[in-house]
Amino acid sequence: MGETREANEMVNGATDQRTSSKETSPIPSPTADRKAKTGLQAQTAATLPAKTQEIPSAQMEGFLHRKHEWESHNKKASNRSWHNVYCVINNQEMGFYKDAKAASSGIPYHSEIPVSLKEAICEIAVEYKKKKHVFKLRLTDGNEYLFQAKDDEDMNTWIQAITSAISSDKIDVSASTQSTPATSRAQTLPASVTITSESSPGKREKDKEKDKEKRFSLFGKKK
């Protein structure tokens, strides 16, 4: 009988221990799950390769025949032969490349840096008679280029695109100067002072009289 009792106690003890272990096991909270997921996402992002910097979309691009006429205000270009180059207008710059693949990779034609179109002049090269559909681009530093398009429509499209890039700086400057006087005027004007009816002296005097009447009426009732 004693052995049977001890065996029952051992079985009951093991059962209680299993039950208590089940009861004490913590239930994972949603916050803990979110933290764990966030940690996994951070680890995944850290292991992923960084994205390459995207080249901003060009305003216009395509092939043109180019001739370098002047390299400064008083000096003719050393190499004035015609070259077929891939031209890209982006913001207020014009870059030259071998082809579209080189342009997307950012590899310039003969290591030439993009030229600035700020305050440049672009117009049809009327005085140039050797080729048709030719327009010229004169930069502020004295450089001057001739470009030949495939037809008059293509030439006019390029001139319009370059002119738009040149005038975009003037539009930004005029917009900023127009907004400046209005801003300064708003800062110099004194702030308007508004007096509410609740804070007026007449209102306060009436309130005091009403309070006195209430006090006298309460005092009379007590007597």
Side-chain angles (χ1 to χ4, degrees):
M1 290 290 290
E3 293 177 356
T4 304
R5 192 179 300 144
E6 289 178 359
N8 289 334
E9 289 176 355
M10 290 176 66
V11 171
N12 292 334
T15 304
D16 294 340
Q17 188 175 5
R18 287 195 298 271
T19 305
S20 63
S21 64
K22 289 180 180 179
E23 290 175 354
T24 56
S25 60
I27 299 173
S29 64
T31 305
D33 290 341
R34 286 196 297 269
K35 288 182 178 179
K37 289 179 181 178
T38 304
L40 288 172
Q41 290 175 356
Q43 290 177 0
T44 306
T47 55
L48 288 173
K51 291 183 179 180
T52 57
Q53 187 177 1
E54 295 181 357
I55 298 173
S57 59
Q59 293 169 273
M60 187 168 179
E61 56 185 310
F63 280 104
L64 288 171
H65 290 281
R66 186 194 70 175
K67 181 182 181 182
H68 195 183
E69 283 280 87
W70 295 84
E71 61 183 36
S72 66
H73 292 285
N74 300 316
K75 186 179 180 182
K76 286 265 189 180
S78 56
N79 184 3
R80 286 184 288 160
S81 56
W82 287 91
H83 299 278
N84 191 28
V85 294
Y86 193 83
C87 305
V88 178
I89 300 173
N90 194 357
N91 294 329
Q92 286 188 296
E93 291 184 340
M94 188 172 185
F96 307 111
Y97 306 89
K98 181 181 178 182
D99 49 29
K101 184 178 179 181
S104 61
S105 302
I107 303 173
Y109 182 76
H110 291 174
S111 302
E112 297 178 10
I113 61 173
V115 297
S116 175
L117 298 176
K118 288 184 179 181
E119 300 181 3
I121 298 173
C122 183
E123 57 190 3
I124 299 174
V126 181
E127 70 281 0
Y128 191 81
K129 305 295 184 182
K130 295 180 181 180
K131 292 179 180 290
K132 296 181 179 180
H133 324 305
V134 176
F135 64 95
K136 63 181 177 181
L137 176 65
R138 188 184 300 114
L139 307 179
T140 54
D141 60 359
N143 276 283
E144 186 174 321
Y145 297 91
L146 294 179
F147 295 96
Q148 184 188 27
K150 60 183 179 181
D151 52 32
D152 282 343
E153 183 180 356
D154 189 40
M155 178 186 68
N156 291 327
T157 303
W158 275 101
I159 293 174
Q160 185 178 0
I162 295 173
T163 305
S164 299
I166 295 169
S167 60
S168 63
D169 182 51
K170 296 179 182 178
I171 293 171
D172 294 340
V173 171
S174 61
S176 62
T177 53
Q178 287 176 3
S179 61
T180 303
T183 306
S184 60
R185 198 183 307 118
Q187 291 176 353
T188 55
L189 286 174
S192 59
V193 179
T194 56
I195 301 174
T196 59
S197 59
E198 294 180 357
S199 62
S200 61
K203 180 72 174 176
R204 288 198 295 269
E205 292 296 331
K206 289 180 180 180
D207 291 340
K208 288 181 181 179
E209 291 178 1
K210 288 181 180 180
D211 292 339
K212 286 180 182 179
E213 290 176 359
K214 287 180 181 179
R215 289 198 198 99
F216 285 127
S217 61
L218 290 172
F219 184 72
K221 286 180 181 179
K222 286 181 181 180
K223 286 183 176 181

